[in-house]
Amino acid sequence: MAFLHKILRTSVYIVEDDRDFLRVLKQVLARGVENHKIFSFNSADDLLDQLKSQAVKKIQRNIIIISVSAHARDTNSVFETIEAIKQYLLNTHVILLFNPGELETEEMELYQAELVVDDIITKNNFARLRIQNSIRRILSRDDFQWRRKLLYISAAVASFFLITTVLFYFI
C-alpha cells in the first residue's frame, strides 16, 4: 500500500512575521514534505481572510505553522486565533512557534493538553529541524489513522460476505 501522504494533498499554512525565518522555512519544507502546497502569510488576519474566501476540501490535510506573535486583531491570544482558523479548516494540525519568554509554561501545557496545538517549538537554531520532524510525525500519525479506518472497513465488508455465504449455504 502506498503511503497516504503521497496520495492525500497536504496544505501547509505558515503565519510568520519574520521574513528571513519564513524564507528559510519555505526552503526546508519544499524539500521535506511530499505532495504539499505551501501558503505563507505575514499575519493571521491575512490567513483568515484567505480562508473565508476559499472552499475547503474535506479529504485534504492542513498543517498550520503559526508564531505566537501572529494573532488576529479581533482576538486576545494566538490560541483564540487558532480556534478561529480551525472553524474554516477541517483536519487541521497546528505547530506553534515562539521566542523564549513569549509564553508562560502553564499556558503552553494547558493548550497542548487540550489538543489545540500538536507541537510547540522554540525559535532557535534547531527550530527548522524540529518543524520538519513534527510535520513528518503528524503525517505518519495521520497515515496510521487512515490505514486503521481502511482496515476496519475492509474487515466489515469481509465479515458481511462471510456471513452472507454461511447463511446461503445453510438455507
Side-chain angles (χ1 to χ4, degrees), residues 129-143:
L129 179 63
R130 291 199 56 213
I131 291 169
Q132 202 171 17
N133 289 339
S134 181
I135 290 174
R136 286 184 181 143
R137 186 177 65 248
I138 288 168
L139 295 178
S140 175
R141 187 175 55 216
D142 261 11
D143 285 352

Side-chain angles (χ1 to χ4, degrees), residues 29-86:
L29 293 178
R31 289 177 274 162
V33 182
E34 296 179 22
N35 196 16
H36 69 285
K37 194 165 188 176
I38 298 175
F39 302 97
S40 60
F41 302 93
N42 292 326
S43 71
D45 292 319
D46 295 340
L47 173 60
L48 285 169
D49 291 341
Q50 174 74 22
L51 293 177
K52 288 176 186 176
S53 66
Q54 77 180 21
V56 178
K57 297 176 182 139
K58 291 189 178 189
I59 204 159
Q60 178 174 326
R61 288 189 283 204
N62 301 293
I63 298 174
I64 299 172
I65 303 171
I66 188 167
S67 178
V68 168
S69 59
H71 62 83
R73 287 186 300 266
D74 56 346
T75 59
N76 294 329
S77 72
V78 70
F79 299 108
E80 291 178 10
T81 303
I82 291 169
E83 291 171 0
I85 291 169
K86 283 188 172 187

Side-chain angles (χ1 to χ4, degrees), residues 2 8 12 46 51 54 59 73 86 88 92 102 116 126 133 139 149 157:
L8 292 175
V12 179
D46 295 340
L51 293 177
Q54 77 180 21
I59 204 159
R73 287 186 300 266
K86 283 188 172 187
Y88 294 103
T92 302
E102 270 186 325
V116 174
F126 301 107
N133 289 339
L139 295 178
K149 287 177 186 177
V157 169

